[in-house]
Amino acid sequence: MLRTNLACWTCRIPRLPHRRPLSTTAASPELPSIAPKATLNVKHIRQNPDTYSRNSVLRNYNHQEGHPSKILTLFDEWKKIQQRTRGLRESSNAVRTKLSHSKTFSGLAPESLASGEPSKKETLLEEARALKERLSEVEIEEDRIQNEINALASELPNLTSPESSALGSEPRVSAYINSPPPHYTTSDPTWRNHVHLGTEYDLLDFSSASAISGWGWYYLKNEAALLEQALVQFSIDVAMQHGFSVVTPPSIVYSHIASACGFRPRDQNDEQQVYSLHQGEKAQSTAKPELSLAGTAEIPFAGLKAKTTIPEADLPLCVVGPSRCYRAEAGARGVETKGLFRVHEFTKVEMFGWTLPSASTSLFDTMLSIQTQILSSLGLYCRVMEMPPKDLGASAYRKRDIEAWFPSRQQKDQGWGEVTSTSMCTDYQSRRLATRVKMKSGDMDYPHTVNGTAIAVPRVLAAILENGWDEEAGEIRVPEALWPWMHGIKTLRLARRKDKV
């Protein structure tokens, strides 16, 4: 019996590329393989280029103003490539059809060998290989265009809500919390400065911290350290009353996760925002993803559901938790570099939630009500501000800040200073983190994310010290809401104790 040593013809047919639609999945070569694959709404940008250009200017993202037009140009280039290669793809499909339909496709009989049939097969295979090489070159060009489009789209800020767009360049006061304090009209902005009070009452130590860490760090001592823990516990309790689950997040995150949340190493003014961790030579040689210190728990909370599908029945899904936060930009804003108002490291309790698009405003309002309850209970005079487009972060669609009144800040912003913020981010973060929701109908969608500060300890602590100081009594009043965690301490006095540090 004559035996032939021929490979199966099916195995020898090159896999020929088929026409591929324009991908909206961002696959930047700079991102590690473990990074979530972002799915950006590039089609909406192409359909509304002027809207996105105006929005970039409105939000002071002037560098991104031309991105939508560049996306349109690249898309036109992609379409032309598709048109030019249509005949090439049709030829490749025809060759594959001939090979797959051949009578001797699955093997050759001895008489076929003598007839010269294999040479025709080889000719078709060579043609298929040549077509594959040409189409592979086309695909390389297509991938380049797709990557450029997605890179440009990823740099665009979120669209802006009508509430924010209507404001122009200035914020609007939408409400006040509590009544003005008796000392609201004092003309001396320094006599109640929290730095002076904190030093005199042995609560704060900036000089020792500057010797070991530099400017922008501090020690909380004695009752100030207790107040920090009391503020954390109180704010978590209030959030839990509204159905939030407690989660303690990590403070170190992959840099690509921070970027997906809208936090970039440098802001629009080219000021450093993020602390990146140096990795040793071994980690660099293995291409280990870059790590950063989280500037807010919003980042690890958003990443909690990265590459995850949430059932519709689980929404809204809301978490709250304390974390240490790290900001590299402290010290760049003059008067605010003194004291606790702007520091490099601090404790903050953050709220975060995933919700259906139709319910994001409701969750936004819930977080605002929690913030109002907390600050009202602390007796602080505050105002709620609807923020204009230029004050929104890249991910925010709408933002409201709450500012407390500080006696020491009367020469800056009439005494007002931000203590909390709440942001509605629509699907900006969920698209970039591959977080989806499975609807009861079986359809897939992207949930909206909302985040808000429950308490930012240093600023609120500073406000408590300044507004709680009683000059006549020579003491600082502790808000009653914090008494359960203060070990019986209701006022802070100058009298020295043995256990003072």
Side-chain angles (χ1 to χ4, degrees):
M1 179 179 179
L2 181 63
R3 301 175 63 90
T4 58
N5 188 22
L6 296 174
C8 171
W9 281 105
T10 307
C11 301
R12 299 175 65 184
I13 300 176
R15 294 189 176 275
L16 300 174
H18 296 280
R19 183 181 182 276
R20 299 181 303 168
L22 183 66
S23 172
T24 57
T25 301
S28 171
E30 299 177 359
L31 292 177
S33 60
I34 62 172
K37 299 300 185 291
T39 304
L40 307 176
N41 197 347
V42 177
K43 181 178 180 181
H44 193 263
I45 299 172
R46 296 200 314 265
Q47 293 174 338
N48 303 275
D50 292 341
T51 298
Y52 281 87
S53 292
R54 289 194 301 269
N55 183 67
S56 296
V57 174
L58 192 66
R59 297 177 64 147
N60 200 30
Y61 280 72
N62 296 318
H63 175 69
Q64 284 80 359
E65 179 185 4
H67 282 17
S69 63
K70 291 179 181 177
I71 289 173
L72 286 178
T73 300
L74 287 167
F75 181 65
D76 287 340
E77 184 179 345
W78 178 85
K79 287 193 298 183
K80 290 177 181 177
I81 291 176
Q82 293 292 304
Q83 293 170 357
R84 289 200 309 266
T85 58
R86 182 177 300 168
L88 196 62
R89 296 181 193 279
E90 290 174 352
S91 296
S92 71
N93 292 334
V95 170
R96 187 174 181 84
T97 300
K98 289 179 181 178
L99 287 168
S100 62
H101 289 173
S102 173
K103 295 179 180 179
T104 56
F105 180 69
S106 59
L108 294 174
E111 55 272 19
S112 299
L113 290 171
S115 67
E117 186 69 19
S119 64
K120 296 179 182 179
K121 298 292 185 180
E122 291 293 352
T123 300
L124 287 174
L125 285 169
E126 285 300 324
E127 184 179 353
R129 293 189 191 97
L131 288 169
K132 180 182 178 182
E133 289 179 4
R134 292 174 64 185
L135 287 172
S136 294
E137 293 175 358
V138 171
E139 287 191 347
I140 291 174
E141 183 64 12
E142 288 176 341
D143 289 341
R144 179 192 65 79
I145 293 173
Q146 290 176 1
N147 287 335
E148 284 190 33
I149 288 175
N150 288 325
L152 291 168
S154 68
E155 291 182 2
L156 291 171
N158 202 348
L159 292 175
T160 307
S161 70
E163 293 85 353
S164 298
S165 299
L167 296 178
S169 60
E170 297 298 324
R172 175 179 57 83
V173 179
S174 61
Y176 285 92
I177 301 172
N178 294 328
S179 301
H183 51 269
Y184 179 62
T185 57
T186 179
S187 59
D188 185 353
T190 62
W191 73 300
R192 304 177 71 87
N193 189 304
H194 70 273
V195 177
H196 296 164
L197 292 170
T199 302
E200 187 174 357
Y201 281 71
D202 200 23
L203 303 172
L204 307 175
D205 187 344
F206 294 97
S207 60
S208 296
S210 66
I212 65 163
S213 303
W215 193 256
W217 273 272
Y218 55 93
Y219 283 100
L220 297 183
K221 300 168 60 179
N222 304 309
E223 291 93 340
L226 291 178
L227 281 168
E228 176 179 46
Q229 300 306 315
L231 287 168
V232 168
Q233 291 299 320
F234 171 59
S235 59
I236 289 176
D237 278 3
V238 174
M240 289 180 66
Q241 293 169 17
H242 290 262
F244 282 66
S245 300
V246 182
V247 176
T248 302
S251 293
I252 296 178
V253 298
Y254 285 132
S255 297
H256 62 260
I257 296 294
S259 179
C261 292
F263 293 85
R264 300 300 175 98
R266 293 188 176 274
D267 62 15
Q268 291 301 104
N269 299 316
D270 200 37
E271 289 187 358
Q272 183 182 353
Q273 294 191 84
V274 178
Y275 285 113
S276 297
L277 300 183
H278 174 72
Q279 302 189 79
E281 293 182 3
K282 183 177 180 180
Q284 293 176 1
S285 64
T286 58
K288 185 177 180 181
E290 183 184 75
L291 292 168
S292 299
L293 294 176
T296 168
E298 173 192 345
I299 299 169
F301 277 158
L304 184 63
K305 294 299 180 181
K307 298 190 284 189
T308 299
T309 299
I310 307 172
E312 180 185 355
D314 291 351
L315 298 181
L317 180 60
C318 303
V319 296
V320 63
S323 73
R324 296 292 278 180
C325 302
Y326 300 87
R327 304 285 175 88
E329 89 285 3
R333 291 171 171 81
V335 68
E336 294 177 358
T337 62
K338 296 182 179 180
L340 294 174
F341 196 82
R342 192 174 295 279
V343 292
H344 288 300
E345 180 182 7
F346 59 96
T347 298
K348 181 160 71 86
V349 177
E350 182 78 2
M351 299 179 287
F352 193 91
W354 299 262
T355 185
L356 292 174
S358 60
S360 59
T361 299
S362 176
L363 182 55
F364 181 80
D365 292 339
T366 296
M367 290 189 184
L368 278 169
S369 68
I370 292 172
Q371 293 170 335
T372 300
Q373 181 180 342
I374 290 171
L375 295 170
S376 176
S377 299
L378 295 176
L380 298 177
Y381 179 45
C382 302
R383 63 182 186 179
V384 183
M385 310 291 289
E386 186 76 48
M387 303 308 292
K390 68 181 181 64
D391 289 328
L392 304 185
S395 63
Y397 172 74
R398 182 186 180 191
K399 183 165 84 88
R400 278 194 172 186
D401 288 352
I402 298 182
E403 300 177 341
W405 188 77
F406 295 78
S408 67
R409 290 176 58 84
Q410 292 178 80
Q411 294 180 343
K412 181 177 178 61
D413 299 327
Q414 294 79 50
W416 298 105
E418 177 196 341
V419 290
T420 74
S421 67
T422 303
S423 297
M424 184 191 307
C425 299
T426 63
D427 61 1
Y428 181 98
Q429 294 173 334
S430 58
R431 281 183 173 274
R432 286 162 171 77
L433 291 169
T435 303
R436 301 197 297 175
V437 55
K438 185 173 184 179
M439 308 298 289
K440 294 176 181 177
S441 63
D443 295 336
M444 303 296 288
D445 200 355
Y446 292 94
H448 282 194
T449 58
V450 183
N451 66 82
T453 310
I455 208 82
V457 169
R459 294 186 180 185
V460 173
L461 177 58
I464 288 173
L465 294 180
E466 294 189 11
N467 288 285
W469 185 49
D470 186 331
E471 183 183 20
E472 294 183 0
E475 61 185 24
I476 301 171
R477 298 183 302 275
V478 175
E480 185 175 350
L482 303 181
W483 290 359
W485 299 278
M486 289 299 295
H487 300 275
I489 300 173
K490 298 181 180 180
T491 58
L492 311 182
R493 296 185 174 88
L494 283 173
R496 293 290 187 266
R497 300 193 311 267
K498 292 182 179 179
D499 58 345
K500 294 277 187 177
V501 177

